[in-house]
PDB file of all heavy atoms in Angstrom:
ATOM      1  N   ARG A   1     -18.018   0.186  -8.759  1.00 98.00           N
ATOM      2  CA  ARG A   1     -16.571  -0.008  -8.781  1.00 98.00           C
ATOM      3  C   ARG A   1     -15.964   0.359 -10.127  1.00 98.00           C
ATOM      4  O   ARG A   1     -15.004  -0.262 -10.591  1.00 98.00           O
ATOM      5  CB  ARG A   1     -16.173  -1.430  -8.379  1.00 98.00           C
ATOM      6  CG  ARG A   1     -14.765  -1.499  -7.788  1.00 98.00           C
ATOM      7  CD  ARG A   1     -14.429  -2.848  -7.210  1.00 98.00           C
ATOM      8  NE  ARG A   1     -13.196  -2.772  -6.429  1.00 98.00           N
ATOM      9  CZ  ARG A   1     -12.689  -3.755  -5.710  1.00 98.00           C
ATOM     10  NH1 ARG A   1     -13.307  -4.924  -5.667  1.00 98.00           N
ATOM     11  NH2 ARG A   1     -11.571  -3.604  -5.030  1.00 98.00           N
ATOM     12  N   HIS A   2     -16.520   1.407 -10.746  1.00 98.00           N
ATOM     13  CA  HIS A   2     -15.958   1.929 -11.985  1.00 98.00           C
ATOM     14  C   HIS A   2     -15.040   3.115 -11.675  1.00 98.00           C
ATOM     15  O   HIS A   2     -14.555   3.256 -10.556  1.00 98.00           O
ATOM     16  CB  HIS A   2     -17.082   2.335 -12.939  1.00 98.00           C
ATOM     17  CG  HIS A   2     -17.905   1.183 -13.430  1.00 98.00           C
ATOM     18  ND1 HIS A   2     -17.358  -0.056 -13.721  1.00 98.00           N
ATOM     19  CD2 HIS A   2     -19.242   1.076 -13.695  1.00 98.00           C
ATOM     20  CE1 HIS A   2     -18.323  -0.863 -14.149  1.00 98.00           C
ATOM     21  NE2 HIS A   2     -19.458  -0.208 -14.131  1.00 98.00           N
ATOM     22  N   GLU A   3     -14.795   3.945 -12.682  1.00 98.00           N
ATOM     23  CA  GLU A   3     -13.921   5.099 -12.513  1.00 98.00           C
ATOM     24  C   GLU A   3     -14.365   5.949 -11.323  1.00 98.00           C
ATOM     25  O   GLU A   3     -15.562   5.999 -10.994  1.00 98.00           O
ATOM     26  CB  GLU A   3     -13.924   5.947 -13.789  1.00 98.00           C
ATOM     27  CG  GLU A   3     -13.136   5.365 -14.948  1.00 98.00           C
ATOM     28  CD  GLU A   3     -13.866   4.297 -15.745  1.00 98.00           C
ATOM     29  OE1 GLU A   3     -14.991   3.917 -15.354  1.00 98.00           O
ATOM     30  OE2 GLU A   3     -13.319   3.837 -16.763  1.00 98.00           O
ATOM     31  N   PRO A   4     -13.436   6.649 -10.675  1.00 98.00           N
ATOM     32  CA  PRO A   4     -13.795   7.420  -9.484  1.00 98.00           C
ATOM     33  C   PRO A   4     -14.764   8.566  -9.748  1.00 98.00           C
ATOM     34  O   PRO A   4     -15.385   9.064  -8.798  1.00 98.00           O
ATOM     35  CB  PRO A   4     -12.451   7.968  -8.983  1.00 98.00           C
ATOM     36  CG  PRO A   4     -11.405   7.320  -9.762  1.00 98.00           C
ATOM     37  CD  PRO A   4     -12.001   6.625 -10.913  1.00 98.00           C
ATOM     38  N   ASP A   5     -14.902   9.002 -10.999  1.00 97.00           N
ATOM     39  CA  ASP A   5     -15.866  10.071 -11.290  1.00 97.00           C
ATOM     40  C   ASP A   5     -17.232   9.509 -11.668  1.00 97.00           C
ATOM     41  O   ASP A   5     -18.126  10.248 -12.083  1.00 97.00           O
ATOM     42  CB  ASP A   5     -15.345  11.001 -12.387  1.00 97.00           C
ATOM     43  CG  ASP A   5     -15.039  10.281 -13.694  1.00 97.00           C
ATOM     44  OD1 ASP A   5     -14.984   9.036 -13.702  1.00 97.00           O
ATOM     45  OD2 ASP A   5     -14.827  10.979 -14.708  1.00 97.00           O
ATOM     46  N   VAL A   6     -17.428   8.200 -11.499  1.00 97.00           N
ATOM     47  CA  VAL A   6     -18.715   7.562 -11.755  1.00 97.00           C
ATOM     48  C   VAL A   6     -19.266   7.073 -10.418  1.00 97.00           C
ATOM     49  O   VAL A   6     -18.651   6.233  -9.758  1.00 97.00           O
ATOM     50  CB  VAL A   6     -18.580   6.377 -12.732  1.00 97.00           C
ATOM     51  CG1 VAL A   6     -19.927   5.692 -12.926  1.00 97.00           C
ATOM     52  CG2 VAL A   6     -18.007   6.836 -14.062  1.00 97.00           C
ATOM     53  N   GLY A   7     -20.405   7.612  -9.992  1.00 97.00           N
ATOM     54  CA  GLY A   7     -20.990   7.124  -8.750  1.00 97.00           C
ATOM     55  C   GLY A   7     -21.207   8.221  -7.736  1.00 97.00           C
ATOM     56  O   GLY A   7     -21.214   9.410  -8.048  1.00 97.00           O
ATOM     57  N   GLU A   8     -21.338   7.825  -6.499  1.00 98.00           N
ATOM     58  CA  GLU A   8     -21.850   8.705  -5.459  1.00 98.00           C
ATOM     59  C   GLU A   8     -20.785   9.480  -4.686  1.00 98.00           C
ATOM     60  O   GLU A   8     -21.126  10.312  -3.836  1.00 98.00           O
ATOM     61  CB  GLU A   8     -22.684   7.889  -4.469  1.00 98.00           C
ATOM     62  CG  GLU A   8     -21.876   6.874  -3.662  1.00 98.00           C
ATOM     63  CD  GLU A   8     -22.757   5.843  -2.960  1.00 98.00           C
ATOM     64  OE1 GLU A   8     -23.723   5.365  -3.580  1.00 98.00           O
ATOM     65  OE2 GLU A   8     -22.466   5.523  -1.799  1.00 98.00           O
ATOM     66  N   LEU A   9     -19.507   9.233  -4.947  1.00 98.00           N
ATOM     67  CA  LEU A   9     -18.452   9.856  -4.156  1.00 98.00           C
ATOM     68  C   LEU A   9     -17.863  11.082  -4.843  1.00 98.00           C
ATOM     69  O   LEU A   9     -17.685  11.097  -6.060  1.00 98.00           O
ATOM     70  CB  LEU A   9     -17.335   8.848  -3.871  1.00 98.00           C
ATOM     71  CG  LEU A   9     -17.712   7.689  -2.950  1.00 98.00           C
ATOM     72  CD1 LEU A   9     -16.533   6.745  -2.760  1.00 98.00           C
ATOM     73  CD2 LEU A   9     -18.193   8.206  -1.602  1.00 98.00           C
ATOM     74  N   ASN A  10     -17.520  12.081  -4.039  1.00 98.00           N
ATOM     75  CA  ASN A  10     -16.881  13.302  -4.519  1.00 98.00           C
ATOM     76  C   ASN A  10     -15.374  13.165  -4.293  1.00 98.00           C
ATOM     77  O   ASN A  10     -14.824  13.686  -3.316  1.00 98.00           O
ATOM     78  CB  ASN A  10     -17.451  14.514  -3.782  1.00 98.00           C
ATOM     79  CG  ASN A  10     -16.856  15.820  -4.266  1.00 98.00           C
ATOM     80  OD1 ASN A  10     -16.007  15.849  -5.149  1.00 98.00           O
ATOM     81  ND2 ASN A  10     -17.293  16.922  -3.680  1.00 98.00           N
ATOM     82  N   TYR A  11     -14.708  12.454  -5.200  1.00 97.00           N
ATOM     83  CA  TYR A  11     -13.295  12.190  -5.000  1.00 97.00           C
ATOM     84  C   TYR A  11     -12.413  13.440  -5.048  1.00 97.00           C
ATOM     85  O   TYR A  11     -11.438  13.521  -4.286  1.00 97.00           O
ATOM     86  CB  TYR A  11     -12.798  11.136  -5.983  1.00 97.00           C
ATOM     87  CG  TYR A  11     -12.951   9.727  -5.458  1.00 97.00           C
ATOM     88  CD1 TYR A  11     -13.842   8.828  -6.032  1.00 97.00           C
ATOM     89  CD2 TYR A  11     -12.200   9.288  -4.361  1.00 97.00           C
ATOM     90  CE1 TYR A  11     -13.981   7.536  -5.542  1.00 97.00           C
ATOM     91  CE2 TYR A  11     -12.333   8.001  -3.867  1.00 97.00           C
ATOM     92  CZ  TYR A  11     -13.223   7.128  -4.458  1.00 97.00           C
ATOM     93  OH  TYR A  11     -13.356   5.855  -3.965  1.00 97.00           O
ATOM     94  N   PRO A  12     -12.683  14.417  -5.917  1.00 97.00           N
ATOM     95  CA  PRO A  12     -11.841  15.626  -5.847  1.00 97.00           C
ATOM     96  C   PRO A  12     -11.783  16.237  -4.454  1.00 97.00           C
ATOM     97  O   PRO A  12     -10.720  16.678  -4.000  1.00 97.00           O
ATOM     98  CB  PRO A  12     -12.496  16.559  -6.867  1.00 97.00           C
ATOM     99  CG  PRO A  12     -13.104  15.637  -7.868  1.00 97.00           C
ATOM    100  CD  PRO A  12     -13.609  14.463  -7.067  1.00 97.00           C
ATOM    101  N   TYR A  13     -12.916  16.251  -3.764  1.00 98.00           N
ATOM    102  CA  TYR A  13     -12.930  16.754  -2.385  1.00 98.00           C
ATOM    103  C   TYR A  13     -12.035  15.899  -1.483  1.00 98.00           C
ATOM    104  O   TYR A  13     -11.264  16.424  -0.657  1.00 98.00           O
ATOM    105  CB  TYR A  13     -14.365  16.761  -1.854  1.00 98.00           C
ATOM    106  CG  TYR A  13     -14.476  17.081  -0.382  1.00 98.00           C
ATOM    107  CD1 TYR A  13     -14.428  18.395   0.071  1.00 98.00           C
ATOM    108  CD2 TYR A  13     -14.609  16.065   0.558  1.00 98.00           C
ATOM    109  CE1 TYR A  13     -14.518  18.691   1.425  1.00 98.00           C
ATOM    110  CE2 TYR A  13     -14.703  16.343   1.911  1.00 98.00           C
ATOM    111  CZ  TYR A  13     -14.653  17.665   2.345  1.00 98.00           C
ATOM    112  OH  TYR A  13     -14.731  17.944   3.678  1.00 98.00           O
ATOM    113  N   LEU A  14     -12.128  14.572  -1.627  1.00 98.00           N
ATOM    114  CA  LEU A  14     -11.336  13.684  -0.786  1.00 98.00           C
ATOM    115  C   LEU A  14      -9.849  13.784  -1.112  1.00 98.00           C
ATOM    116  O   LEU A  14      -8.998  13.735  -0.203  1.00 98.00           O
ATOM    117  CB  LEU A  14     -11.825  12.244  -0.941  1.00 98.00           C
ATOM    118  CG  LEU A  14     -13.267  11.996  -0.476  1.00 98.00           C
ATOM    119  CD1 LEU A  14     -13.690  10.557  -0.785  1.00 98.00           C
ATOM    120  CD2 LEU A  14     -13.426  12.276   1.020  1.00 98.00           C
ATOM    121  N   PHE A  15      -9.511  13.944  -2.397  1.00 97.00           N
ATOM    122  CA  PHE A  15      -8.102  14.125  -2.756  1.00 97.00           C
ATOM    123  C   PHE A  15      -7.544  15.408  -2.137  1.00 97.00           C
ATOM    124  O   PHE A  15      -6.412  15.430  -1.632  1.00 97.00           O
ATOM    125  CB  PHE A  15      -7.937  14.172  -4.272  1.00 97.00           C
ATOM    126  CG  PHE A  15      -8.324  12.899  -4.988  1.00 97.00           C
ATOM    127  CD1 PHE A  15      -8.721  12.931  -6.320  1.00 97.00           C
ATOM    128  CD2 PHE A  15      -8.300  11.672  -4.344  1.00 97.00           C
ATOM    129  CE1 PHE A  15      -9.073  11.774  -6.995  1.00 97.00           C
ATOM    130  CE2 PHE A  15      -8.656  10.504  -5.011  1.00 97.00           C
ATOM    131  CZ  PHE A  15      -9.048  10.560  -6.335  1.00 97.00           C
ATOM    132  N   GLN A  16      -8.325  16.466  -2.187  1.00 97.00           N
ATOM    133  CA  GLN A  16      -7.886  17.729  -1.590  1.00 97.00           C
ATOM    134  C   GLN A  16      -7.730  17.583  -0.077  1.00 97.00           C
ATOM    135  O   GLN A  16      -6.809  18.150   0.528  1.00 97.00           O
ATOM    136  CB  GLN A  16      -8.867  18.836  -1.933  1.00 97.00           C
ATOM    137  CG  GLN A  16      -8.836  19.235  -3.399  1.00 97.00           C
ATOM    138  CD  GLN A  16      -9.971  20.162  -3.802  1.00 97.00           C
ATOM    139  OE1 GLN A  16     -10.854  20.454  -2.998  1.00 97.00           O
ATOM    140  NE2 GLN A  16      -9.954  20.593  -5.050  1.00 97.00           N
ATOM    141  N   LEU A  17      -8.613  16.793   0.550  1.00 98.00           N
ATOM    142  CA  LEU A  17      -8.502  16.551   1.977  1.00 98.00           C
ATOM    143  C   LEU A  17      -7.209  15.810   2.302  1.00 98.00           C
ATOM    144  O   LEU A  17      -6.502  16.156   3.271  1.00 98.00           O
ATOM    145  CB  LEU A  17      -9.707  15.741   2.466  1.00 98.00           C
ATOM    146  CG  LEU A  17      -9.682  15.304   3.931  1.00 98.00           C
ATOM    147  CD1 LEU A  17      -9.632  16.506   4.866  1.00 98.00           C
ATOM    148  CD2 LEU A  17     -10.895  14.428   4.247  1.00 98.00           C
ATOM    149  N   LEU A  18      -6.870  14.810   1.519  1.00 98.00           N
ATOM    150  CA  LEU A  18      -5.624  14.082   1.736  1.00 98.00           C
ATOM    151  C   LEU A  18      -4.421  15.017   1.617  1.00 98.00           C
ATOM    152  O   LEU A  18      -3.464  14.929   2.401  1.00 98.00           O
ATOM    153  CB  LEU A  18      -5.503  12.926   0.742  1.00 98.00           C
ATOM    154  CG  LEU A  18      -6.477  11.762   0.933  1.00 98.00           C
ATOM    155  CD1 LEU A  18      -6.343  10.756  -0.195  1.00 98.00           C
ATOM    156  CD2 LEU A  18      -6.254  11.078   2.273  1.00 98.00           C
ATOM    157  N   ASP A  19      -4.472  15.923   0.637  1.00 96.00           N
ATOM    158  CA  ASP A  19      -3.411  16.919   0.508  1.00 96.00           C
ATOM    159  C   ASP A  19      -3.327  17.805   1.744  1.00 96.00           C
ATOM    160  O   ASP A  19      -2.251  18.063   2.280  1.00 96.00           O
ATOM    161  CB  ASP A  19      -3.662  17.790  -0.725  1.00 96.00           C
ATOM    162  CG  ASP A  19      -2.866  17.338  -1.940  1.00 96.00           C
ATOM    163  OD1 ASP A  19      -2.123  16.347  -1.822  1.00 96.00           O
ATOM    164  OD2 ASP A  19      -2.998  17.967  -2.996  1.00 96.00           O
ATOM    165  N   THR A  20      -4.471  18.255   2.194  1.00 97.00           N
ATOM    166  CA  THR A  20      -4.510  19.144   3.363  1.00 97.00           C
ATOM    167  C   THR A  20      -3.928  18.466   4.599  1.00 97.00           C
ATOM    168  O   THR A  20      -3.242  19.103   5.409  1.00 97.00           O
ATOM    169  CB  THR A  20      -5.958  19.583   3.644  1.00 97.00           C
ATOM    170  OG1 THR A  20      -6.468  20.288   2.519  1.00 97.00           O
ATOM    171  CG2 THR A  20      -6.033  20.480   4.874  1.00 97.00           C
ATOM    172  N   LEU A  21      -4.169  17.169   4.722  1.00 98.00           N
ATOM    173  CA  LEU A  21      -3.676  16.417   5.872  1.00 98.00           C
ATOM    174  C   LEU A  21      -2.233  15.945   5.708  1.00 98.00           C
ATOM    175  O   LEU A  21      -1.679  15.301   6.605  1.00 98.00           O
ATOM    176  CB  LEU A  21      -4.589  15.219   6.146  1.00 98.00           C
ATOM    177  CG  LEU A  21      -6.027  15.567   6.583  1.00 98.00           C
ATOM    178  CD1 LEU A  21      -6.873  14.314   6.686  1.00 98.00           C
ATOM    179  CD2 LEU A  21      -6.018  16.314   7.916  1.00 98.00           C
ATOM    180  N   GLY A  22      -1.636  16.244   4.551  1.00 97.00           N
ATOM    181  CA  GLY A  22      -0.229  15.947   4.347  1.00 97.00           C
ATOM    182  C   GLY A  22       0.084  14.538   3.902  1.00 97.00           C
ATOM    183  O   GLY A  22       1.233  14.088   4.013  1.00 97.00           O
ATOM    184  N   TYR A  23      -0.910  13.826   3.342  1.00 97.00           N
ATOM    185  CA  TYR A  23      -0.636  12.475   2.867  1.00 97.00           C
ATOM    186  C   TYR A  23       0.228  12.544   1.613  1.00 97.00           C
ATOM    187  O   TYR A  23      -0.125  13.196   0.624  1.00 97.00           O
ATOM    188  CB  TYR A  23      -1.947  11.745   2.546  1.00 97.00           C
ATOM    189  CG  TYR A  23      -1.730  10.349   2.011  1.00 97.00           C
ATOM    190  CD1 TYR A  23      -1.252   9.339   2.837  1.00 97.00           C
ATOM    191  CD2 TYR A  23      -1.998  10.035   0.681  1.00 97.00           C
ATOM    192  CE1 TYR A  23      -1.046   8.051   2.361  1.00 97.00           C
ATOM    193  CE2 TYR A  23      -1.809   8.753   0.195  1.00 97.00           C
ATOM    194  CZ  TYR A  23      -1.328   7.765   1.036  1.00 97.00           C
ATOM    195  OH  TYR A  23      -1.117   6.491   0.551  1.00 97.00           O
ATOM    196  N   ASP A  24       1.378  11.870   1.646  1.00 95.00           N
ATOM    197  CA  ASP A  24       2.282  11.894   0.496  1.00 95.00           C
ATOM    198  C   ASP A  24       2.533  10.501  -0.061  1.00 95.00           C
ATOM    199  O   ASP A  24       3.481  10.278  -0.818  1.00 95.00           O
ATOM    200  CB  ASP A  24       3.608  12.555   0.870  1.00 95.00           C
ATOM    201  CG  ASP A  24       4.349  11.820   1.990  1.00 95.00           C
ATOM    202  OD1 ASP A  24       3.798  10.822   2.516  1.00 95.00           O
ATOM    203  OD2 ASP A  24       5.474  12.234   2.331  1.00 95.00           O
ATOM    204  N   GLY A  25       1.695   9.534   0.327  1.00 97.00           N
ATOM    205  CA  GLY A  25       1.828   8.174  -0.188  1.00 97.00           C
ATOM    206  C   GLY A  25       1.099   8.002  -1.506  1.00 97.00           C
ATOM    207  O   GLY A  25       0.706   8.969  -2.164  1.00 97.00           O
ATOM    208  N   TRP A  26       0.903   6.753  -1.871  1.00 98.00           N
ATOM    209  CA  TRP A  26       0.265   6.424  -3.143  1.00 98.00           C
ATOM    210  C   TRP A  26      -1.220   6.139  -2.955  1.00 98.00           C
ATOM    211  O   TRP A  26      -1.662   5.715  -1.889  1.00 98.00           O
ATOM    212  CB  TRP A  26       0.945   5.214  -3.774  1.00 98.00           C
ATOM    213  CG  TRP A  26       2.344   5.505  -4.196  1.00 98.00           C
ATOM    214  CD1 TRP A  26       3.494   5.251  -3.487  1.00 98.00           C
ATOM    215  CD2 TRP A  26       2.756   6.135  -5.407  1.00 98.00           C
ATOM    216  NE1 TRP A  26       4.578   5.681  -4.191  1.00 98.00           N
ATOM    217  CE2 TRP A  26       4.173   6.228  -5.374  1.00 98.00           C
ATOM    218  CE3 TRP A  26       2.076   6.627  -6.526  1.00 98.00           C
ATOM    219  CZ2 TRP A  26       4.913   6.785  -6.410  1.00 98.00           C
ATOM    220  CZ3 TRP A  26       2.806   7.186  -7.562  1.00 98.00           C
ATOM    221  CH2 TRP A  26       4.210   7.263  -7.507  1.00 98.00           C
ATOM    222  N   ILE A  27      -1.974   6.360  -4.023  1.00 98.00           N
ATOM    223  CA  ILE A  27      -3.397   6.032  -4.084  1.00 98.00           C
ATOM    224  C   ILE A  27      -3.577   5.028  -5.217  1.00 98.00           C
ATOM    225  O   ILE A  27      -3.341   5.352  -6.387  1.00 98.00           O
ATOM    226  CB  ILE A  27      -4.257   7.282  -4.335  1.00 98.00           C
ATOM    227  CG1 ILE A  27      -4.062   8.312  -3.208  1.00 98.00           C
ATOM    228  CG2 ILE A  27      -5.733   6.899  -4.469  1.00 98.00           C
ATOM    229  CD1 ILE A  27      -4.754   9.643  -3.465  1.00 98.00           C
ATOM    230  N   GLY A  28      -3.957   3.818  -4.875  1.00 98.00           N
ATOM    231  CA  GLY A  28      -4.118   2.783  -5.886  1.00 98.00           C
ATOM    232  C   GLY A  28      -5.454   2.887  -6.598  1.00 98.00           C
ATOM    233  O   GLY A  28      -6.498   3.012  -5.959  1.00 98.00           O
ATOM    234  N   CYS A  29      -5.415   2.836  -7.911  1.00 98.00           N
ATOM    235  CA  CYS A  29      -6.626   2.934  -8.731  1.00 98.00           C
ATOM    236  C   CYS A  29      -7.123   1.519  -9.004  1.00 98.00           C
ATOM    237  O   CYS A  29      -6.844   0.908 -10.047  1.00 98.00           O
ATOM    238  CB  CYS A  29      -6.324   3.672 -10.032  1.00 98.00           C
ATOM    239  SG  CYS A  29      -5.674   5.339  -9.761  1.00 98.00           S
ATOM    240  N   GLU A  30      -7.877   0.989  -8.055  1.00 98.00           N
ATOM    241  CA  GLU A  30      -8.333  -0.393  -8.113  1.00 98.00           C
ATOM    242  C   GLU A  30      -9.805  -0.417  -8.510  1.00 98.00           C
ATOM    243  O   GLU A  30     -10.684  -0.699  -7.703  1.00 98.00           O
ATOM    244  CB  GLU A  30      -8.116  -1.084  -6.760  1.00 98.00           C
ATOM    245  CG  GLU A  30      -8.293  -2.605  -6.851  1.00 98.00           C
ATOM    246  CD  GLU A  30      -8.143  -3.295  -5.506  1.00 98.00           C
ATOM    247  OE1 GLU A  30      -8.672  -2.778  -4.506  1.00 98.00           O
ATOM    248  OE2 GLU A  30      -7.512  -4.359  -5.455  1.00 98.00           O
ATOM    249  N   TYR A  31     -10.056  -0.105  -9.766  1.00 98.00           N
ATOM    250  CA  TYR A  31     -11.430  -0.071 -10.244  1.00 98.00           C
ATOM    251  C   TYR A  31     -11.539  -0.769 -11.590  1.00 98.00           C
ATOM    252  O   TYR A  31     -10.538  -1.013 -12.278  1.00 98.00           O
ATOM    253  CB  TYR A  31     -11.932   1.374 -10.344  1.00 98.00           C
ATOM    254  CG  TYR A  31     -11.204   2.254 -11.340  1.00 98.00           C
ATOM    255  CD1 TYR A  31     -11.516   2.237 -12.699  1.00 98.00           C
ATOM    256  CD2 TYR A  31     -10.212   3.142 -10.924  1.00 98.00           C
ATOM    257  CE1 TYR A  31     -10.868   3.053 -13.618  1.00 98.00           C
ATOM    258  CE2 TYR A  31      -9.557   3.971 -11.823  1.00 98.00           C
ATOM    259  CZ  TYR A  31      -9.887   3.919 -13.169  1.00 98.00           C
ATOM    260  OH  TYR A  31      -9.232   4.731 -14.070  1.00 98.00           O
ATOM    261  N   LYS A  32     -12.785  -1.092 -11.966  1.00 98.00           N
ATOM    262  CA  LYS A  32     -13.068  -1.763 -13.228  1.00 98.00           C
ATOM    263  C   LYS A  32     -13.539  -0.721 -14.231  1.00 98.00           C
ATOM    264  O   LYS A  32     -14.551  -0.050 -13.989  1.00 98.00           O
ATOM    265  CB  LYS A  32     -14.156  -2.827 -13.027  1.00 98.00           C
ATOM    266  CG  LYS A  32     -13.796  -3.914 -12.031  1.00 98.00           C
ATOM    267  CD  LYS A  32     -14.933  -4.896 -11.840  1.00 98.00           C
ATOM    268  CE  LYS A  32     -16.109  -4.256 -11.110  1.00 98.00           C
ATOM    269  NZ  LYS A  32     -17.176  -5.238 -10.787  1.00 98.00           N
ATOM    270  N   PRO A  33     -12.845  -0.543 -15.332  1.00 98.00           N
ATOM    271  CA  PRO A  33     -13.302   0.432 -16.323  1.00 98.00           C
ATOM    272  C   PRO A  33     -14.760   0.191 -16.709  1.00 98.00           C
ATOM    273  O   PRO A  33     -15.193  -0.956 -16.884  1.00 98.00           O
ATOM    274  CB  PRO A  33     -12.361   0.196 -17.513  1.00 98.00           C
ATOM    275  CG  PRO A  33     -11.119  -0.370 -16.889  1.00 98.00           C
ATOM    276  CD  PRO A  33     -11.599  -1.208 -15.746  1.00 98.00           C
ATOM    277  N   ALA A  34     -15.509   1.266 -16.832  1.00 97.00           N
ATOM    278  CA  ALA A  34     -16.935   1.147 -17.131  1.00 97.00           C
ATOM    279  C   ALA A  34     -17.176   0.449 -18.467  1.00 97.00           C
ATOM    280  O   ALA A  34     -18.209  -0.204 -18.642  1.00 97.00           O
ATOM    281  CB  ALA A  34     -17.587   2.527 -17.129  1.00 97.00           C
TER     282      ALA A  34
END
C-alpha cells in the first residue's frame, strides 16, 4: 500500500485504459508513503 509505482501493479497501463474507456472522474491516491 505504498506509492503506485511500488509493487506488482502496472498502473500506467491501467491509467491509459481508464482514458481509453472515457473515465473523466477522479482517482484518489489513498496510499502510505514508503
Side-chain angles (χ1 to χ4, degrees):
R1 206 172 192 174
H2 294 323
E3 285 81 355
D5 58 347
V6 177
E8 66 195 42
L9 293 179
N10 182 0
Y11 271 113
Y13 172 81
L14 297 175
F15 297 155
Q16 290 170 355
L17 175 61
L18 291 174
D19 262 0
T20 299
L21 295 174
Y23 178 70
D24 61 357
W26 293 96
I27 300 173
C29 302
E30 192 183 42
Y31 63 82
K32 300 178 291 186

